[in-house]
Amino acid sequence: RVELAKVLSAKNIVVDPQNKSGKSNTKVNKVTKIKVCFTIRENSVAEAGTKDVYLRIIRPDEVVLPSGNGETFEFKSEQVIYSAKRQLEYENKDIDMCIFWDKNADLIPGAYTVILYAEGYEVGSATFTQK
C-alpha cells in the first residue's frame, strides 16, 4: 500500500495537435506536432527529485507514434516504445508541464490515446480525435 501511495498521477491532461504555425488543428495532413500539457499532482509520500515522464501517443490502429529514434523504456518488465520524454524536478507539489511530439510518422483519421508514465507506472491518459 505504501508503494501505491508513492505513485505519481497526472490531472488536467490537454492534448493540442498543432500545425506548423503552432495553431490548433484537427486535420491529419496539417498537424506537425502534438502538444500534451498536464499537471503532476501533489503527493507528499512520493520521493522528491528528478523524474522522467514518458508520453505514448497511440494511433487508432494501435500503432505507437515513435520518438525520433524509436527509443524505449521499461514498463511491467517489457521494453515499450515511447513518443516523447521529459524530465522534471518534482518537489511534492502540483507541477504543470507540457511534452511535445514532433511529427515523424503518418497520422491517420480517428481517435487517438495518449498515456503518461512515470517511475514504472501509468500516471494518466486522455483521448483526442483527428479528421
Side-chain angles (χ1 to χ4, degrees), residues 16-72:
D16 184 20
Q18 299 179 337
N19 64 19
K20 65 181 182 224
S21 304
K23 295 194 176 9
S24 296
N25 202 305
T26 57
K27 295 190 172 111
V28 292
N29 60 341
K30 300 275 189 205
V31 171
T32 60
K33 75 170 56 169
I34 296 174
K35 176 182 176 184
V36 180
C37 295
F38 52 94
T39 303
I40 295 290
R41 293 176 189 262
E42 177 178 351
N43 183 336
S44 59
V45 184
E47 287 183 38
T50 304
K51 315 272 185 198
D52 287 329
V53 178
Y54 296 93
L55 167 69
R56 295 181 84 209
I57 304 172
I58 304 166
R59 291 192 329 191
D61 59 0
E62 302 295 316
V63 171
V64 175
L65 298 175
S67 65
N69 301 320
E71 292 108 335
T72 63

Side-chain angles (χ1 to χ4, degrees), residues 16 36 57 62 77 94 119-120 127 130:
D16 184 20
V36 180
I57 304 172
E62 302 295 316
S77 302
D94 276 9
E119 301 188 306
T127 57
Q130 292 286 264

Side-chain angles (χ1 to χ4, degrees), residues 45-112:
V45 184
E47 287 183 38
T50 304
K51 315 272 185 198
D52 287 329
V53 178
Y54 296 93
L55 167 69
R56 295 181 84 209
I57 304 172
I58 304 166
R59 291 192 329 191
D61 59 0
E62 302 295 316
V63 171
V64 175
L65 298 175
S67 65
N69 301 320
E71 292 108 335
T72 63
F73 71 103
E74 190 170 310
F75 180 67
K76 294 187 177 176
S77 302
E78 287 183 40
Q79 291 297 314
V80 292
I81 291 175
Y82 64 85
S83 305
K85 164 180 134 171
R86 182 150 174 223
Q87 277 193 333
L88 77 138
E89 280 302 319
Y90 187 67
E91 296 174 353
N92 304 89
K93 299 184 187 83
D94 276 9
I95 183 166
D96 296 326
M97 62 186 294
C98 296
I99 299 179
F100 294 86
W101 175 77
D102 291 317
K103 183 179 176 184
N104 63 5
D106 290 331
L107 301 177
I108 60 173
Y112 286 70

